[in-house]
Amino acid sequence: MPGSYPDNSALFVDRSGGLLSIDLAAVAENYRMLASRAPGSRCAAVVKADAYGLGLGPIAQQLAACGCDCYFVANIREGQALRELLPAGDIYVLEGVAREQVDAFQAAGLRPVLNSPRQVAAWRAADTPRRCILHFDTGMSRLGLSPEEARAMAGDKALLRSLQIDYLMTHLACADEPAHPMNDRQLKVFDELRGLLPDLPTSIGNTAGVLRGETSRGDLVRPGIGIYGGNPIAGLANPFRPVATLEGRVLQLRDVDADACVGYGADYRTTRPARLATLGLGYADGYPRNLGNRSYGLVAGQRVPLVGRVSMDCLVVDVSALGPGALSEGDMVQLFGAEPELDQLAGLAGTVSYELLTRLGSRLQRRYLRG
Ligand SMILES: *Cc1c(COP(=O)(O)O)cnc(C)c1O
């Protein structure tokens, strides 16, 4: 990835301040679970944004080894990077195609998700085969052909003949709230629109759509977050295995008296003598700054609270509750993983697992566990 440190493991000589472990066996298990939850559908994998921040190369290779033969990326550059890794397999580009990208799409064997009449026209100028997905906006007002545009297209038989449409697609705004009336409203619009076209396969469900039920899946499902261990439906137990574990290395331990200030702004004061551990990662590594004084780490099953503000390169946890000698310089403290859970931490930070994962910094040492 441009902008990342190229050979991450050598650079850190096993002493990085922040360590991100990615469990590829859990990736495989989560993908297989999603595929089994969508019987009769083909199960793609959404690997946009560097596979949700976890590393396109190792993730795509693992998914391919599980039999995944269909991928979604956000844009052409992600598609080209994926094609270098996977010579076979269908790669769809969610952003669609612009006229000046047509040759590059074909050279890399990429297929656009066509979102607008302009994109449709651009792809018609390509050499055959012009394989693509047609995306209908059924109420999210983000990407996709409007119902009026879809109706106009349906009446243009020459245009329809000129494209090889693999799937008709839509995306649900509220699949993460399974009972939200918006879901059925969108599905109804989608059914109307696809009724105007020849009978074609469909693609509807993201992770939450897969779990929501058959009507929100289609012939091709497009899960992302579940593969990476995130919980797609707030308020329900997470059915997926955690994939990413973030740990910070203890750079320094210190014993302080009562009334010691900790961190920028002297934002925290100890109320009694305390033992503090400074960990070598901070907001530059994607640990949210607004978690200062609000979250916790885990050492041998025991919670250690974050105290003071999160700095760019370090943060401090109060480890007074641990037994003497339980923690030394160089040891690791878990910041998310099995506990605290990714979604729990994201919630504390006022965001979602998606944002937390995709903001993890390139400075972290990444370690892939092949289970
Ligand atoms: C990102 C994305 C997905 C994957 O959604 P998850 O909630 O991560 O499963 C599916 N479809 C589209 C159109 C997307 O943009």
Side-chain angles (χ1 to χ4, degrees):
M1 287 298 290
S4 304
Y5 295 105
D7 185 353
N8 187 315
S9 51
L11 179 73
F12 290 104
V13 209
D14 292 324
R15 288 290 296 186
S16 65
L19 174 64
L20 183 67
S21 302
I22 295 139
D23 183 346
L24 292 173
V27 167
E29 194 177 305
N30 291 337
Y31 173 77
R32 291 201 183 100
M33 198 264 264
L34 281 157
S36 75
R37 290 284 201 106
S41 304
R42 184 183 183 199
C43 189
V46 180
V47 294
K48 60 197 180 189
D50 199 28
Y52 287 44
L54 298 183
L56 181 65
I59 299 277
Q61 251 128 25
Q62 179 71 341
L63 290 166
C66 294
C68 179
D69 63 357
C70 184
Y71 300 83
F72 284 81
V73 294
N75 63 32
I76 183 172
R77 291 190 61 184
E78 293 181 353
Q80 289 167 326
L82 182 57
R83 181 54 82 208
E84 298 222 334
L85 295 160
L86 301 179
D90 298 342
I91 303 176
Y92 292 103
V93 176
L94 289 163
E95 180 182 282
V97 65
R99 180 146 296 189
E100 59 272 26
Q101 295 176 325
V102 163
D103 291 344
F105 260 70
Q106 296 216 310
L110 306 178
R111 303 178 186 178
V113 173
L114 299 176
N115 296 301
S116 70
R118 195 183 169 92
Q119 293 188 351
V120 170
W123 197 235
R124 275 187 95 185
D127 294 333
T128 51
R130 302 184 193 101
R131 301 189 62 162
C132 59
I133 285 179
L134 217 53
H135 184 189
F136 296 150
D137 170 25
T138 55
M140 195 173 178
S141 308
R142 195 178 68 163
L143 287 170
L145 297 159
S146 70
E148 297 68 41
E149 288 163 346
R151 283 186 199 108
M153 257 195 90
D156 189 342
K157 301 297 173 225
L159 188 152
L160 289 177
R161 268 197 307 275
S162 70
L163 299 172
Q164 282 79 56
I165 302 169
D166 297 334
Y167 298 95
L168 301 177
M169 172 180 137
T170 197
H171 192 51
L172 300 177
C174 304
D176 60 334
E177 297 174 61
H180 198 293
M182 186 71 181
N183 291 308
D184 287 334
R185 214 184 307 158
Q186 282 192 264
L187 290 170
K188 188 159 170 279
V189 174
F190 186 59
D191 275 343
E192 262 167 44
L193 295 176
R194 77 190 180 88
L196 304 174
L197 292 161
D199 198 21
L200 285 163
T202 58
S203 175
I204 306 172
N206 61 356
T207 304
V210 170
L211 300 182
R212 184 173 178 269
E214 194 179 349
T215 56
S216 40
R217 289 181 198 137
D219 300 298
L220 174 74
V221 291
R222 308 184 306 274
I225 195 68
I227 296 172
Y228 311 105
N231 189 0
I233 299 176
L236 284 190
N238 188 352
F240 300 104
R241 245 178 76 183
V243 168
T245 299
L246 180 68
E247 294 167 277
R249 189 178 300 279
V250 178
L251 301 181
Q252 207 177 351
L253 280 165
R254 59 169 29 78
D255 293 306
V256 297
D257 296 329
D259 215 27
C261 298
V262 182
Y264 280 118
D267 225 22
Y268 181 87
R269 273 168 192 267
T270 54
T271 53
R272 49 193 138 83
R275 166 153 268 222
L276 305 178
T278 303
L279 311 184
L281 87 179
Y283 62 76
D285 301 289
Y287 193 89
R289 184 172 176 277
N290 67 0
L291 287 178
N293 289 314
R294 293 171 65 193
S295 63
Y296 66 93
L298 203 70
V299 180
Q302 258 192 289
R303 293 180 179 197
V304 291
L306 242 77
V307 291
R309 291 186 191 167
V310 175
S311 299
M312 185 185 293
D313 314 309
C314 54
L315 55 84
V316 178
V317 287
D318 183 332
V319 296
S320 310
L322 304 178
L327 197 66
S328 310
E329 273 182 26
D331 288 351
M332 303 303 281
V333 174
Q334 183 165 308
L335 293 167
F336 69 72
E339 196 197 345
E341 287 178 27
L342 174 66
D343 288 274
Q344 183 190 354
L345 200 72
L348 276 175
T351 183
V352 289
S353 58
Y354 302 74
E355 186 180 12
L356 197 55
L357 287 181
T358 55
R359 283 177 179 269
L360 290 171
S362 58
R363 191 170 65 177
L364 293 168
Q365 183 180 0
R366 279 149 200 266
R367 177 175 67 167
Y368 291 91
L369 309 173
R370 293 189 154 79

